[in-house]
Amino acid sequence: MRKINIAVYNEFFHERHDPNSAKVYPDGIHSALKGFLEKDSRVGSVVCATLDDHAAVLTPERLADTDVLIWWGHVRHGNVDDEVVNAVCARVVEGMGLIVLHSGHGSKVFMRLMGTDTRTLRWRESDDRCRVWVVNRGHPIAEGLGEGFLVPAEETYGEQFGIPEPDELVFISWFEGGEVFRSGCTFKRGSGKIFYFQNGHETYPIYFQPEIQRVITNAVHWACPEQRAYRYDLGGPNAPALEGPKK
Amino acid sequence: MRKINIAVYNEFFHERHDPNSAKVYPDGIHSALKGFLEKDSRVGSVVCATLDDHAAVLTPERLADTDVLIWWGHVRHGNVDDEVVNAVCARVVEGMGLIVLHSGHGSKVFMRLMGTDTRTLRWRESDDRCRVWVVNRGHPIAEGLGEGFLVPAEETYGEQFGIPEPDELVFISWFEGGEVFRSGCTFKRGSGKIFYFQNGHETYPIYFQPEIQRVITNAVHWACPEQRAYRYDLGGPNAPALEGPKK
Amino acid sequence: MRKINIAVYNEFFHERHDPNSAKVYPDGIHSALKGFLEKDSRVGSVVCATLDDHAAVLTPERLADTDVLIWWGHVRHGNVDDEVVNAVCARVVEGMGLIVLHSGHGSKVFMRLMGTDTRTLRWRESDDRCRVWVVNRGHPIAEGLGEGFLVPAEETYGEQFGIPEPDELVFISWFEGGEVFRSGCTFKRGSGKIFYFQNGHETYPIYFQPEIQRVITNAVHWACPEQRAYRYDLGGPNAPALEGPKK
Amino acid sequence: MRKINIAVYNEFFHERHDPNSAKVYPDGIHSALKGFLEKDSRVGSVVCATLDDHAAVLTPERLADTDVLIWWGHVRHGNVDDEVVNAVCARVVEGMGLIVLHSGHGSKVFMRLMGTDTRTLRWRESDDRCRVWVVNRGHPIAEGLGEGFLVPAEETYGEQFGIPEPDELVFISWFEGGEVFRSGCTFKRGSGKIFYFQNGHETYPIYFQPEIQRVITNAVHWACPEQRAYRYDLGGPNAPALEGPKK
């Protein structure tokens, strides 16, 4: 089995401008993600990109060699380069896995692949207790998580979330303030598998919680394509008939 | 547009043996359902069957003339007649709509149509506040319900619920005690539409709540087939070739 | 039941530049569509737009008053106004139905809503016999079509078609030359229903065939939303908690 | 990665009573399947059961140790032991993969898991050319099969096939006589993955064809659960509340 090449995009804005975020993620959310992903024996490499350098890092060549891309963004979605967006979406259709975290629901990449306005949801800055329930026990992304787990404090996301009906619903979150959220959803676009995961506010140490790390690691394994790409040619214009005329 | 013929099956056990249930539903849950359904202008007839008379009422002839069947049962699932179960499942495949309420999740009819052990769920006798959230705003079953509604006291159902992935998820319930539940789910089996709806414990006046009545009425409209049956013949053994041999 | 407002977009290029097409559709494909749609008792109005005037006709105001939009395009997809594309996609999410015909599979509108490269398919200019098989007998779009029907001569489309997995597959086409195609597919994006239908080459009189007219009329009924729009407000930033803190 | 334990059920009737079948599969279809499956490096063991001994072989203990069960049956579906059917269905829900071949579509096991009358289809004894098209290029079951492949002679199966909408459609078959068929379909029931595959008539050497062997081997890998079983306990009656009352 080949090693998995991962790329992580993190906007890296809050951690440099908001002291509450900087305290929790001094080296950025991407570094926290890279930190635990590199401990996984199936992972080959983890490359990080931020808003500042993403066009230089997430080149078509790099993407062609990436199995799974993880995406975290929030207040600077609009600044992401459209050519990168195009290249990412094309690579997903070709087979690259994509994991969209938390406020990445509003990213150009996710909006484009879903075809709806995925920014739509109810939300509240809070420190609500959040119970993440497994609703699909046999799913590889839920492996090792039992009935679910507790996140002690989380920003609240609530329905209705503006996604198309997911192919599979893996998690539903319960929030202390009365909301629910489809917090773990799978989609497929072309040959690429997509996983959206709600947890991960920038001012809480969520990406250091073992269950969260387990979810993301499981999702990387699940989203990794069997081949790095499923490129194929349709034979150009006017494919010949396979069967002769009956007349 | 033709009028909708409805049949309601209610086990009618609790209401006769449990004073708490009898106080709320003195004439049985079926009478409460019939009461509001008959007020709908599109509804033609509402026929009720209970455990005692269900084999006499839910005959193949009656079912053939029924557009939507509503099912409520709990502690006497095992006593339901297997021939009725066979006939109901065959009629659903032929196009009859089916609405399964609350503890009807463990009925033979629902188990058979789902193909899994749908008795599986977490539950608790409680008087939890239950918030029913709409997660599919444009769905006909959610019509008129806005973001969702509150049931002041309800028995708690929690995930994991042992259903196959629903075709559409319409509602998710939040419970005060920390649980979530996929409380409004659609499925299709053959030409028949199926809706499972979680709310409706026998000791709470849930079926008198306007929002609940709205959900069930909406579901009846949604589940009603355009034709009363989609019977068709496949031409007997050895259907002739449509195209001549090419050789 | 309110009347259905329909808008038809037709590129109207072939019919003015290709004599073979002009002979079959002298007034354009849109006129052929309008012709039979207006005969349906549930249809209120049918407004037509072509490449030349589409930005003036398909205004946000017009779209807001449209229940179902039908889209036919082929060699001038790139010339469609991006603001119209944005408005159409937003209206679909809000609840407007969309029916995409034949080579409309490569339109910006369809690409955007699907999130994949829907131009991908195998094709051949041909006069293949095409058998359209119903694979979902109880579906409203298949109403009245029995097992399926024959199109005597059609351009050949073959798999693999680059769509995401459809919510429902209604038709599969068989082609004399050896191909198959998922020719009737439903999708939902937000509150809007989408139907893709393969048949309809510009040089064959396909839109005059009764079964084809039946499919498109059925699809209009199916795609029409119960309300003209499902606009809703999420309460602005920071929705208040519904349940008090437990602490 | 652990080795995969496979069990094969083959009715083994035609091969002993029909000379045309005996000529092609002198040791039974199960032996042909076992023959190529055992060559796969990930396969641990392949145990075969026939109608004569299936109750003795497919015991609950054996099934508990089985990752993937393959099912071929045709004219003796009614003779399969109901306790075996119960045990197989329960094991699928628990996580065991199931691959149903050809006329296995009418088996009790498949009928039960689907919840519909899956015997429904159009068919014809024929030697039609059958083109199996891949409609889901990135799917693991289609790995290595390109655009699809040709089966030189096959019994004809045609739509409408009485299955519920598959989770994923992987193959569609084209038949010379004018039919199409959803020939490769995936479903999930509980934690178990199910694959139906149409090809495999008892009088044609289909199970010796490399592409067919590739499909079945791919399907075994795909259907194999990550854990051998996902047993779990829901904590008995009346699961305690997780969150204290708010009042």
Side-chain angles (χ1 to χ4, degrees), chain C residues 183-199:
Chain C
S183 49
C185 303
T186 79
F187 304 91
K188 210 176 168 202
R189 289 291 180 268
S191 297
K193 290 166 154 183
I194 301 169
F195 180 60
Y196 174 79
F197 185 50
Q198 158 249 315
N199 289 101

Side-chain angles (χ1 to χ4, degrees), chain A residues 123-188:
Chain A
W123 65 277
R124 175 159 28 89
E125 287 191 351
S126 72
D127 61 349
D128 270 10
R129 290 160 66 81
C130 169
R131 294 191 169 275
V132 181
W133 289 93
V134 173
V135 302
N136 192 332
R137 280 292 184 93
H139 199 284
I141 297 179
E143 185 85 11
L145 294 163
E147 288 190 65
F149 56 93
L150 176 73
V151 176
E154 177 60 284
E155 186 185 33
T156 300
Y157 276 17
E159 295 286 342
Q160 170 163 338
F161 183 22
I163 47 172
E165 190 85 31
D167 293 345
E168 301 164 310
L169 188 57
V170 184
F171 303 116
I172 297 175
S173 288
W174 173 101
F175 290 91
E176 190 180 351
E179 283 88 355
V180 296
F181 198 71
R182 287 172 291 174
S183 49
C185 304
T186 78
F187 305 91
K188 209 176 168 202

